[in-house]
């Protein structure tokens, strides 16, 4: 029986999730994806694919959250990148661990101490004091120091945490921004902040899946079937069982 999340949809769940996977993994427009489907005899308007991604991108993030491991890491890297929405710059805060795994992300209309506080608090919400990193690598913006100090006072962050503001130590997260920025550029720009956030959640979720952060849950993690298994895992999250030939 089809999942209620796909009720009243005119296309099967596997086609919808196929579109979500490809759009969230490869820099392309909705029109490009519509053409790819048309070559296979499936006629889907670009606006329909857009609505699918806006709906199922955030839903995928919620589902993946339950399967994300809470690892003990000695250090985290935190940084922000710029995203333009209707001609105005917004800020996408992102954090990764030493293995390059995405920890969390946060979309803000400002780059200040309150945004840094909310972002770091968001990153720490699933970690006990003992499981928190001993080192936080950040840029030299003063907002991070304020956020760290405030979280320590509130007892949400370990007292002995060290903040390092050395540029080269954040090279990994600077490089990790690039795939997300390519996807954002391929959208052609955002007009509404809410839609931008929904889209970014989809991009970040697919990025985490493609990094291999959920490979532990795959039924078969052999290299030659890895892409299919990750796709099958995503389908299972939505209770859609597809058998690959």
């Amino acid at each position: 029986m089809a999942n209620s999340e796909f009720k009243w949809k005119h296309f099967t769940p596997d086609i919808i999730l196929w579109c979500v996977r490809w759009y969230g993994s490869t820099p392309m427009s909705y029109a490009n994806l519509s053409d790819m489907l048309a070559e296979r005899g499936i006629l889907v308007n670009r606006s329909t694919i857009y609505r699918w991604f806006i709906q199922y991108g955030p839903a995928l993030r919620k589902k993946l959250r339950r399967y994300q491991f809470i690892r003990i890491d000695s250090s985290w890297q935190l940084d922000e990148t710029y995203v333009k929405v209707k001609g105005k710059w917004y800020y996408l805060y992102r954090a990764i661990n030493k293995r390059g795994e995405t920890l969390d992300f946060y979309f803000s209309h400002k780059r200040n101490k309150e945004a840094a506080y909310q972002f770091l608090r968001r990153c720490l919400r699933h970690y006990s004091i003992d499981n928190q990193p001993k080192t936080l690598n950040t840029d030299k913006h003063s907002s991070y120091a304020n956020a760290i100090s405030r979280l320590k006072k509130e007892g949400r962050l370990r007292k002995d945490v060290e903040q390092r503001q050395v540029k080269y130590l954040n090279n990994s997260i600077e490089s990790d921004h690039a795939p997300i920025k390519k996807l954002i550029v391929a959208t052609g720009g955002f007009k509404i902040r809410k839609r931008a956030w929904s889209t970014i959640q989809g991009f970040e979720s697919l990025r985490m899946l493609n990094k291999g952060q959920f490979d532990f849950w795959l039924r078969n993690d052999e290299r030659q079937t890895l892409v299919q298994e990750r796709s099958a895992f995503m389908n299972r999250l939505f209770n859609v069982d597809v058998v690959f030939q």
Side-chain angles (χ1 to χ4, degrees):
M1 183 177 178
N3 190 290
S4 59
E5 291 175 288
F6 299 95
K7 191 174 182 180
W8 310 120
K9 302 299 181 185
H10 294 288
F11 293 87
T12 59
D14 56 307
I15 291 177
I16 294 173
L17 294 180
W18 184 88
C19 289
V20 172
R21 276 196 303 273
W22 275 97
Y23 186 74
S25 302
T26 310
M28 67 171 76
S29 67
Y30 292 113
N32 294 148
L33 194 51
S34 179
D35 290 343
M36 289 172 63
L37 286 169
E39 285 187 8
R40 291 156 176 80
I42 305 171
L43 302 180
V44 184
N45 190 278
R46 67 186 73 178
S47 62
T48 301
I49 301 174
Y50 163 76
R51 289 193 295 270
W52 288 346
F53 200 82
I54 292 299
Q55 178 179 352
Y56 295 107
L60 175 62
R61 175 58 186 148
K62 290 180 181 179
K63 292 176 183 296
L64 286 177
R65 179 74 259 182
R66 299 197 294 268
Y67 291 87
Q68 188 171 349
F69 285 120
I70 306 302
R71 302 183 188 276
I72 300 177
D73 296 295
S74 60
S75 66
W76 288 355
Q77 296 180 34
L78 299 86
D79 194 32
E80 65 283 337
T81 187
Y82 299 88
V83 179
K84 186 171 285 188
V85 180
K86 201 175 182 180
K88 181 180 178 181
W89 287 113
Y90 285 73
Y91 304 91
L92 176 60
Y93 285 80
R94 306 180 68 247
I96 64 173
N97 61 19
K98 293 181 69 174
R99 287 176 289 274
E101 298 173 339
T102 302
L103 298 170
D104 218 324
F105 46 92
Y106 177 72
F107 196 48
S108 173
H109 67 289
K110 291 185 178 180
R111 185 191 184 205
N112 55 19
K113 59 185 180 181
E114 180 62 26
Y117 168 79
Q118 293 296 338
F119 169 57
L120 189 51
R121 180 180 174 182
R122 182 186 179 95
C123 291
L124 294 168
R125 59 185 169 170
H126 299 290
Y127 293 82
S128 64
I129 294 293
D130 293 335
N131 290 342
Q132 291 176 359
K134 296 180 179 179
T135 305
L136 297 175
N137 298 310
T138 71
D139 58 27
K140 295 186 178 181
H141 198 274
S142 61
S143 59
Y144 283 109
N146 279 280
I148 291 170
S149 176
R150 181 177 171 184
L151 287 164
K152 283 182 178 179
K153 289 179 181 178
E154 294 175 352
R156 300 178 186 271
L157 182 62
R158 60 190 305 159
K159 298 292 185 180
D160 60 342
V161 69
E162 177 189 1
Q163 181 190 14
R164 292 192 295 191
Q165 296 175 299
V166 182
K167 187 174 178 62
Y168 78 88
L169 293 176
N170 258 12
N171 285 346
S172 294
I173 193 167
E174 291 285 353
S175 299
D176 198 69
H177 289 329
I180 298 297
K181 292 301 291 286
K182 287 180 181 178
L183 292 167
I184 291 172
V185 170
T187 65
F190 298 116
K191 302 298 182 184
I192 303 174
R193 181 183 181 276
K194 183 178 180 181
R195 298 290 183 264
W197 174 227
S198 296
T199 303
I200 288 170
Q201 288 184 74
F203 288 163
E204 291 281 6
S205 298
L206 268 301
R207 174 71 176 148
M208 294 168 71
L209 185 64
N210 293 330
K211 280 182 180 181
Q213 292 184 218
F214 303 95
D215 284 358
F216 174 83
W217 305 102
L218 303 185
R219 291 174 177 172
N220 185 349
D221 60 357
E222 293 181 10
R223 186 177 183 83
Q224 60 269 28
T225 60
L226 201 54
V227 174
Q228 290 183 343
E229 288 295 331
R230 287 172 181 169
S231 298
F233 171 69
M234 178 175 161
N235 287 338
R236 290 196 298 274
L237 293 177
F238 289 89
N239 295 320
V240 177
D241 199 8
V242 178
V243 178
F244 293 98
Q245 301 297 328

